[in-house]
Amino acid sequence: MSFSIPHNHPDFTSHHRANENVYWGSAGRTHQNGHANHGIGNSLNGLFENKSLPMYKDKPYSYAASRRQAPWYKRPGVWLAFAVLSLLNFYLFWAYLRPSVRAPVEGDHDLTNRWDWLKKSGDTTADWDLRREAVKDAFKLSWDGYANHAWGMDEYRPITKSGKQMTPTGMGWIIVDALDTLMIMNLTSRLSHAREWISTSLDYNQDHEVNTFETTIRMLGGLLSAHYLSTEFPNMAPLSDDDVGKPGEDLYLEKAADLADRLLGAFDTQSGVPLASVNLKTMKGVASHDDGGASSTAEAASLQLEFKYLAMLMGEKLYWQKAEKVIEVIDNNGMQDGLLPIFIHADQGTFQGYNIRLGSRGDSYYEYLIKQYLQTSKEEPVYLELWDEALAGVRKHLITYSKRAHFTVLGERQDGLQNKLTPKMDHLVCFMPGTIALGATEGRPLAEAKKSANWTQKQVDEMELAKELTKTCWGMYKAMSTGLAPEISHFEIKDPPQMYRHGPLSSLDTDFSDFHGNSALWREDYVIKSQDSHNLQRPETVESLFYMWRITGDVMYREWGWEMFKSFVEYSGVEDDGGFTSLSNANKIPPTKKDNMESFWLAETLKYFYLLFSPTEFLPLDTIVINTEAHIFPRFKLQRGLQTGWTRKPRDTNGMIVEVERDQLPTGVSDAASVEETSTVRKLRVVEATSHADQDGEVGLVTESGATGKSKSFAG
């Protein structure tokens, strides 16, 4: 059956809608006459213009034309002989076009394939519309390679042009993950092809274990984002299948709800913290087969945006309650300064080990704190409190500086906060500068945010930290021979390290273009180990460039993004229409290629490049939140009985939990007022106070009234 459109769908009358309509009105959107309308189409100076092309120029090789384009020869009253002649002309037209479905360009006859043209497009000057179109062409090249050689498969190998399933009949891993990118890029016929596969082939009722986190952020997130964009922005790659009243109106939402119900089994633990995997058919959670059965912190605590948005759409509180319970359990551990070990036991809800980092297994927990606050339109301040606490902890314990150029390094405490700092950054950490800027400004342009009454020195310092971390992440790319970042970077730092809490440093002026010259001492600050030199097409740095450009308006971030994109085109492309692939070694030329295209190449990396080069009014940051797989959700207000269902336990000034306890009343005493007479003593207990006392040896206590105080010692 078909769901009705939820009554609380995003506001179509929002003041931002006018900006969106202006954007699409000038973005080269195809009209019914088959020609582009002003804007991008004209700015390309005929680069893609061919008036004999059909309505949708993004046609997959073997996919039928959209049914929205009724062939003229089917019109009633046309003579049969004339119809036959028209069919012949139509056949000859497609016979000419089918050797390559690339977007026609000027001088196209000189090119052997689309790949050659795309490499040449790197020579363009700063025409951002044209650069955005180059990103779209890279996406089409990747998508078409997948569609031709591995359609419906979960994995794609561009070099051998083959694919592989992750489950018996497939998860739609690449197709679903890329749905909203297809919409954003207005690739209508490719979207129609994908939607048909989802409608006819996607079935999650499979007896197979899948990763709870990855399935949530990619599949559930992809379906929810597709639902949002197709309902809020009907001019994005418009299809009649999802029009109001049509049988496929709620296809994405129906699939999302079915998948979410299967994923809920992972949350059925004693603590409420989800298990690492879940069997889709039995709907039973499965503990990790590694790491002593523990779940990773990031994976357990990065499901909230998806389940809370679904709860709002469906009016189903269970999704909401399951998601927020995880954060409550985590917070009740009372970890110092908001920084968490990277493993958590699902049954007990307690942490395993002491390794603290914002790279793999830790990263998106922090990302989702500030984004949960923004998702519900700032109506859940507990998540802002958690974010502020964690960011203060990052500055205090994890930020240091490189030895020569003073690059800002967000390191790791692999043996706990009281032990040595490791100057190591996963590329994954590069989500952080953009997220810091998002938190400081709430997604508003910097100039506007500075006028706010709550703009203080705190926000100034956060923006400066975001800028310096972005520069460090950009340096990861410039330090490599191909211009493509390694998976992990280490850094040369001073001994003992200069920490942020000792006084923040600004990086020195750096000529990143000087790789081997006299001014290239900056290069020595980066230590790239051979086992870390692979590039997996990750999106985190371009993600931060996107946020930094949108928020600061500094074109430098766009230029850095364009250089990155050109490096991807130059060194990770696979000719013969294979698309793009990961690199086993990105620190030599030519690089060693790894035969795999990650789904996030389409879902995240190319999407962020496209958004980076798009007008700022397209999908304004202060109206949306973007999940950790770059899927786009709306901000909304608490409604339909949804609200924050938990509160934090009292903390001292060090952020440590302070619990107030009462001894059990003696037998026969039932009146709490008799406590004093029966010598029952109120106790104040500071949880883990001894190991987490501040530098002055002081421990904070919460008094009976809830006020926070200091005491040199403690007596029960």
Side-chain angles (χ1 to χ4, degrees):
M1 61 176 292
S2 175
F3 289 102
S4 61
I5 287 289
H7 295 294
N8 58 330
H9 61 71
D11 185 6
F12 282 66
T13 63
S14 166
H15 66 282
H16 295 287
R17 289 285 296 170
N19 290 333
E20 301 289 357
N21 291 337
V22 168
Y23 172 81
W24 281 110
S26 62
R29 187 172 70 246
T30 308
H31 285 226
Q32 288 187 0
N33 62 4
H35 307 309
N37 179 40
H38 308 296
I40 296 171
N42 287 346
S43 71
L44 296 182
N45 296 320
L47 189 62
F48 298 98
E49 185 176 353
N50 183 329
K51 297 187 184 299
S52 64
L53 282 174
M55 178 178 176
Y56 301 120
K57 298 189 284 273
D58 57 312
K59 186 179 298 297
Y61 285 86
S62 59
Y63 190 61
S66 168
R67 51 185 167 71
R68 292 185 173 207
Q69 184 191 20
W72 70 268
Y73 54 82
K74 289 187 178 181
R75 296 174 185 173
V78 178
W79 295 343
L80 179 61
F82 192 67
V84 172
L85 179 61
S86 300
L87 284 171
L88 178 60
N89 289 335
F90 184 83
Y91 171 81
L92 293 174
F93 172 79
W94 277 106
Y96 170 80
L97 185 64
R98 281 186 62 85
S100 171
V101 297
R102 64 184 179 274
V105 297
E106 291 180 345
D108 195 39
H109 59 280
D110 295 327
L111 303 175
T112 57
N113 52 43
R114 289 179 297 176
W115 171 245
D116 289 336
W117 176 83
L118 189 59
K119 293 177 72 173
K120 289 188 177 183
S121 73
D123 300 329
T124 61
T125 56
D127 181 330
W128 296 110
D129 287 343
L130 188 58
R131 290 179 174 185
R132 181 182 55 206
E133 290 302 308
V135 174
K136 183 188 289 188
D137 280 338
F139 179 92
K140 290 191 289 187
L141 195 68
S142 296
W143 179 269
D144 290 350
Y146 165 72
N148 288 328
H149 306 298
W151 182 248
M153 299 290 178
D154 295 323
E155 299 177 15
Y156 174 48
R157 296 166 181 165
I159 297 175
T160 57
K161 297 179 175 56
S162 60
K164 179 183 177 183
Q165 296 289 27
M166 296 165 50
T167 62
T169 61
M171 292 281 291
W173 205 251
I174 292 174
I175 294 173
V176 174
D177 215 8
L179 279 174
D180 55 359
T181 311
L182 290 164
M183 293 178 179
I184 287 168
M185 293 184 178
N186 210 30
L187 298 175
T188 309
S189 63
R190 288 172 174 82
L191 176 64
S192 180
H193 191 195
R195 183 180 170 88
E196 180 188 37
W197 185 90
I198 291 170
S199 177
T200 60
S201 301
L202 181 58
D203 182 2
Y204 288 122
N205 188 30
Q206 301 180 56
D207 190 7
H208 198 87
E209 294 176 18
V210 297
N211 181 275
T212 307
F213 164 74
E214 296 289 358
T215 304
T216 298
I217 65 167
R218 301 190 197 209
M219 301 296 96
L220 183 58
L223 290 165
L224 290 173
S225 181
H227 173 77
Y228 166 58
L229 294 179
S230 64
T231 55
E232 172 70 356
F233 305 105
N235 288 329
M236 284 188 182
L239 296 174
S240 62
D241 288 3
D242 55 12
D243 289 349
V244 177
K246 292 295 182 68
E249 175 186 358
D250 288 316
L251 172 66
Y252 303 130
L253 187 56
E254 290 170 354
K255 292 292 186 182
D258 174 59
L259 178 58
D261 289 343
R262 299 174 188 280
L263 292 169
L264 282 179
F267 293 82
D268 290 338
T269 62
Q270 184 175 349
S271 72
V273 172
L275 293 164
S277 299
V278 65
N279 184 295
L280 290 174
K281 185 177 182 66
T282 66
M283 305 183 193
K284 300 292 185 183
V286 181
S288 173
H289 300 294
D290 302 307
D291 309 313
S295 300
S296 82
T297 301
E299 294 187 356
S302 303
L303 315 169
Q304 286 64 35
L305 294 181
E306 297 79 9
F307 276 94
K308 290 171 83 171
Y309 179 39
L310 182 60
M312 190 277 291
L313 288 172
M314 304 294 294
E316 177 53 73
K317 293 182 181 179
L318 181 63
Y319 298 138
W320 187 283
Q321 293 164 350
K322 291 288 188 180
E324 71 172 1
K325 179 65 176 178
V326 181
I327 307 302
E328 179 184 10
V329 171
I330 285 175
D331 192 51
N332 285 346
N333 278 269
M335 302 309 296
Q336 184 181 358
D337 294 327
L339 301 179
L340 312 181
I342 61 173
F343 291 107
I344 186 168
H345 294 290
D347 284 334
Q348 292 81 26
T350 56
F351 290 104
Q352 172 183 292
Y354 304 97
N355 193 342
I356 293 173
R357 67 184 183 218
L358 270 74
S360 62
R361 301 186 180 277
D363 48 3
S364 49
Y365 161 73
Y366 303 94
E367 175 188 356
Y368 271 34
L369 294 179
I370 188 61
K371 288 184 176 180
Q372 285 185 81
Y373 172 65
L374 297 176
Q375 181 184 39
T376 51
S377 302
K378 302 183 286 187
E379 293 185 338
E380 296 186 280
V382 65
Y383 297 108
L384 176 62
E385 182 181 342
L386 289 168
W387 164 253
D388 284 341
E389 183 179 293
L391 184 54
V394 167
R395 292 198 299 261
K396 179 179 178 181
H397 297 287
L398 302 182
I399 297 293
T400 187
Y401 300 93
S402 68
K403 192 172 185 177
R404 300 167 185 84
H406 299 164
F407 293 122
T408 297
V409 177
L410 203 169
E412 302 178 356
R413 297 278 183 176
Q414 297 176 351
D415 296 308
L417 294 181
Q418 313 308 323
N419 290 297
K420 182 180 179 181
L421 176 79
T422 301
K424 164 183 173 283
M425 284 179 65
D426 295 353
H427 187 275
L428 290 165
V429 177
C430 290
F431 83 93
M432 193 62 173
T435 304
I436 293 172
L438 176 67
T441 64
E442 299 175 354
R444 297 168 293 178
L446 184 59
E448 178 184 333
K450 285 182 175 180
K451 298 175 184 177
S452 169
N454 63 358
W455 186 264
T456 66
Q457 187 61 41
K458 171 179 174 291
Q459 283 77 28
V460 173
D461 293 343
E462 289 174 359
M463 284 304 302
E464 188 60 30
L465 177 59
K467 292 176 183 178
E468 290 292 343
L469 278 173
T470 305
K471 184 176 180 180
T472 302
C473 291
W474 172 234
M476 293 181 184
Y477 285 75
K478 301 305 290 183
M480 299 287 283
S481 299
T482 60
L484 295 174
E487 180 70 0
I488 298 171
S489 296
H490 291 77
F491 295 85
E492 289 279 358
I493 62 172
K494 293 181 179 179
D495 187 13
Q498 170 74 30
M499 301 298 294
Y500 183 96
R501 65 175 180 265
H502 301 147
L505 299 178
S506 296
S507 58
L508 304 180
D509 290 338
T510 307
D511 181 7
F512 283 121
S513 64
D514 187 359
F515 192 81
H516 297 294
N518 294 331
S519 63
L521 289 177
W522 66 267
R523 175 65 180 77
E524 298 179 20
D525 280 352
Y526 289 86
V527 179
I528 311 300
K529 299 181 179 181
S530 58
Q531 67 268 27
D532 302 327
S533 64
H534 50 289
N535 180 282
L536 300 181
Q537 306 172 298
R538 288 202 184 275
E540 289 77 22
T541 297
V542 66
E543 172 186 349
S544 282
L545 293 180
F546 162 67
Y547 280 107
M548 295 301 290
W549 153 248
R550 283 288 185 94
I551 290 169
T552 69
D554 190 338
V555 73
M556 171 185 70
Y557 298 115
R558 276 182 140 183
E559 294 290 358
W560 287 358
W562 180 241
E563 286 194 46
M564 287 171 54
F565 176 73
K566 289 193 295 183
S567 293
F568 275 117
V569 170
E570 180 68 22
Y571 294 112
S572 70
V574 178
E575 298 197 17
D576 300 324
D577 289 332
F580 294 83
T581 191
S582 302
L583 303 179
S584 296
N585 186 351
N587 208 20
K588 69 174 186 176
I589 297 177
T592 304
K593 292 182 177 178
K594 177 182 174 70
D595 192 11
N596 184 58
M597 182 195 77
E598 296 287 350
S599 75
F600 52 68
W601 168 249
L602 301 178
E604 298 187 75
T605 308
L606 289 176
K607 181 187 296 166
Y608 278 124
F609 276 125
Y610 188 81
L611 292 174
L612 176 63
F613 303 149
S614 292
T616 55
E617 65 269 18
F618 182 48
L619 296 173
L621 281 181
D622 59 352
T623 66
I624 59 174
V625 288
I626 305 176
N627 88 336
T628 197
E629 187 72 9
H631 295 310
I632 298 166
F633 306 151
R635 300 189 188 189
F636 56 86
K637 291 185 176 296
L638 294 176
Q639 54 190 287
R640 308 185 79 174
L642 301 175
Q643 59 184 354
T644 311
W646 67 285
T647 57
R648 300 190 77 192
K649 293 182 177 180
R651 258 69 175 177
D652 63 20
T653 55
N654 298 312
M656 301 310 303
I657 292 177
V658 179
E659 293 185 356
V660 179
E661 289 187 344
R662 293 177 183 271
D663 286 346
Q664 290 185 348
L665 296 177
T667 303
V669 178
S670 59
D671 186 4
S674 305
V675 169
E676 262 190 359
E677 298 177 9
T678 58
S679 301
T680 301
V681 182
R682 288 194 178 110
K683 292 184 178 180
L684 293 176
R685 179 167 61 88
V686 179
V687 179
E688 298 179 305
T690 303
S691 61
H692 297 304
D694 63 22
Q695 292 179 347
D696 297 324
E698 296 181 335
V699 175
L701 301 179
V702 175
T703 65
E704 224 177 304
S705 63
T708 302
K710 287 278 190 175
S711 174
K712 288 289 185 182
S713 61
F714 173 71

